[in-house]
Amino acid sequence: MSRIQSGMNVREHDGLTAAHSGGSGVITTVCGEIRGEQLGLCQMHEHILLRRGVPASLNPALCAEEPEKSREEVRAFAEAGGNAVVDAQPIGCGRMPSELARIAVQTGVHIVASTGFHLRRFYAEEHWLFTLSERELEELFCRELCEGMYENADVRLDGIVTDRRAGLIKTACEGDSLSETQRRLFTAAAFAARICQVPLMIHTEPLSHPLALFNDLTGLGVPPERMIFCHLDRAIPEESVAYQLCREGAYVEYDTIGRFKYHSDEKEIRLIGNLLERGFEKQLLLSLDTTRQRMLAYGGEIGLTYLLHRFLPALRRAGVSEDVLRGILAENPRRVLERSASGKTEAIGQGRGEEE
């Protein structure tokens, strides 16, 4: 696939392009920076806590605001051998950073939080996020990555700013083309990711075009190895899309494990096997995409331990080796989340040259 220049403007960032650390990097968690080798087994896309708001008005499963129950769920995950999770809820739609940090301290599990943006329907009609300029969005994302996350910006961008930092940028691709607003959001997210040396996590929908977005993002200078395309195992039926992204060096996240309204675990294992047969074991990430409906502590269906307790044994029975499983669950998350320990993460709003 040719990396065509997109309609988004390409601007240089004076050497602040994300660069991998070669084994000596750090990862930002809600409790501070850790060395990459400390991460351990990591589920790359969960929703541990969700404050009641617009998402819950659309789907009651999108409310999990009882810290003691979420703590119980994460503690069980730790007892099952899990070491880290990524909480994929971005700013403005129910994220709870201080409670995530408390759970991390109480359970010993590393939690990586997200800034960025989600699907438009998860925000109020006149939400502040969609009124900001591209420059303002970039500076917001950088501040949450470098200084601290807003405690609660669901209604207004004000109030307490915590000292808990995000470790990646969540984005969401919806529809068959980018609107002007989406293009502004993605451009800001791309430049913030480059400045702060963090990955972009990209939510996909059935009408999304991941390959076109990949071209847009590479046109903005985001390295393929800093892109995580989520939900491809249920949102995009053409497996060739995942294969092409892997060939280009991006990560694909399969997170429909235990989500039987979409398909069985047997099908999920076949999808994973097809990737592994093509040699893409270093591009694959796994998770459960848990919400209230799937966490046992909330009366849900499978629990945060399902991947470790139930799905990994099934993969072993299917012939996946321990070395490959370790790579998928530990080395791949480390590689995509890790940044240079000397990275210029303090650079906010820099690198736009003479354009403004």
Side-chain angles (χ1 to χ4, degrees):
M1 178 175 58
S2 63
R3 295 178 187 170
I4 61 172
Q5 182 167 325
S6 74
M8 301 179 181
N9 291 329
V10 180
R11 289 168 296 205
E12 293 302 319
H13 273 261
D14 300 324
L16 295 181
T17 303
H20 282 286
S21 59
S24 61
V26 296
I27 296 168
T28 299
T29 77
V30 292
C31 292
E33 292 180 353
I34 62 171
R35 298 188 308 278
E37 61 267 25
Q38 293 178 278
L39 187 69
L41 297 182
C42 180
Q43 293 182 191
M44 281 293 300
H45 191 124
E46 309 296 348
H47 298 276
I48 303 302
L49 284 163
L50 279 162
R51 185 185 296 106
R52 186 177 302 278
V54 174
S57 72
L58 301 174
N59 181 352
L62 301 180
C63 177
E65 59 180 356
E66 300 174 63
E68 67 281 359
K69 291 183 179 179
S70 295
R71 180 177 63 248
E72 178 183 341
E73 198 76 26
V74 175
R75 180 170 285 128
F77 170 75
E79 292 171 352
N83 305 111
V85 297
V86 171
D87 187 273
Q89 200 68 13
I91 186 173
C93 59
R95 187 187 63 190
M96 300 173 64
S98 292
E99 292 297 344
L100 286 174
R102 290 188 188 96
I103 288 172
V105 170
Q106 291 164 351
T107 64
V109 170
H110 302 301
I111 298 178
V112 178
S114 307
T115 189
F117 61 94
H118 212 323
L119 297 171
R120 181 64 181 87
R121 64 178 177 267
F122 291 152
Y123 300 86
E125 185 175 349
E126 303 295 329
H127 199 277
W128 59 263
L129 184 67
F130 305 98
T131 70
L132 298 184
S133 70
E134 182 185 306
R135 178 62 175 265
E136 289 170 332
L137 286 164
E138 178 188 321
E139 291 181 353
L140 169 65
F141 300 154
C142 285
R143 285 194 181 95
E144 290 221 308
L145 291 160
C146 300
E147 298 176 3
M149 292 179 281
Y150 279 86
E151 181 62 44
N152 181 354
D154 293 359
V155 178
R156 293 178 300 277
L157 185 60
D158 60 15
I160 296 171
V161 177
T162 74
D163 60 356
R164 309 300 182 174
R165 294 158 54 198
L168 59 77
I169 303 176
K170 167 77 170 283
T171 65
C173 182
E174 50 189 320
D176 57 2
S177 63
L178 295 182
S179 67
E180 181 181 347
T181 299
Q182 287 176 309
R183 194 169 292 277
R184 185 170 72 248
L185 287 160
F186 269 107
T187 301
F191 285 126
R194 288 184 59 183
I195 291 170
C196 300
Q197 300 190 23
V198 298
L200 282 181
M201 174 178 281
I202 302 145
H203 171 107
T204 61
E205 293 275 290
L207 293 178
S208 301
H209 292 290
L211 296 178
L213 182 58
F214 174 88
N215 277 347
D216 282 338
L217 293 172
T218 54
L220 288 167
V222 179
E225 63 270 19
R226 287 300 197 192
M227 303 182 204
I228 304 167
F229 286 86
C230 308
H231 318 321
L232 296 184
D233 48 342
R234 67 176 181 268
I236 310 297
E238 298 85 3
E239 292 180 68
S240 60
V241 173
Y243 304 157
Q244 187 64 46
L245 290 169
C246 288
R247 289 188 192 99
E248 294 288 352
Y251 289 85
V252 298
E253 179 189 290
Y254 281 6
D255 46 36
T256 310
I257 298 161
R259 302 196 69 178
F260 306 122
K261 71 176 183 177
Y262 294 107
H263 57 239
S264 67
D265 279 352
E266 288 75 19
K267 180 176 180 179
E268 188 78 4
I269 290 170
R270 288 196 299 273
L271 293 174
I272 291 170
N274 291 340
L275 274 178
L276 299 183
E277 286 173 5
R278 288 162 174 80
F280 297 136
E281 65 271 9
K282 291 187 177 181
Q283 310 308 128
L284 178 60
L285 303 165
L286 297 180
S287 209
L288 297 173
D289 196 10
T290 49
T291 59
R292 182 188 192 97
Q293 188 175 357
R294 288 183 294 284
M295 288 192 282
L296 291 176
Y298 285 90
E301 300 162 350
I302 60 171
L304 194 60
T305 63
Y306 184 87
L307 195 158
L308 298 177
H309 275 165
R310 300 288 298 277
F311 193 71
L312 286 192
L315 283 175
R316 293 185 183 103
R317 291 192 294 271
V320 182
S321 72
E322 292 297 325
D323 284 346
V324 169
L325 291 176
R326 177 78 188 179
I328 292 169
L329 282 170
E331 294 307 317
N332 294 355
R334 171 185 174 177
R335 195 181 313 115
V336 72
L337 290 170
E338 200 172 41
R339 61 175 174 78
S340 170
S342 59
K344 298 180 182 179
T345 56
E346 76 281 2
I348 296 177
Q350 296 182 15
R352 287 181 174 265
E354 300 298 325
E355 64 156 331
E356 294 187 34

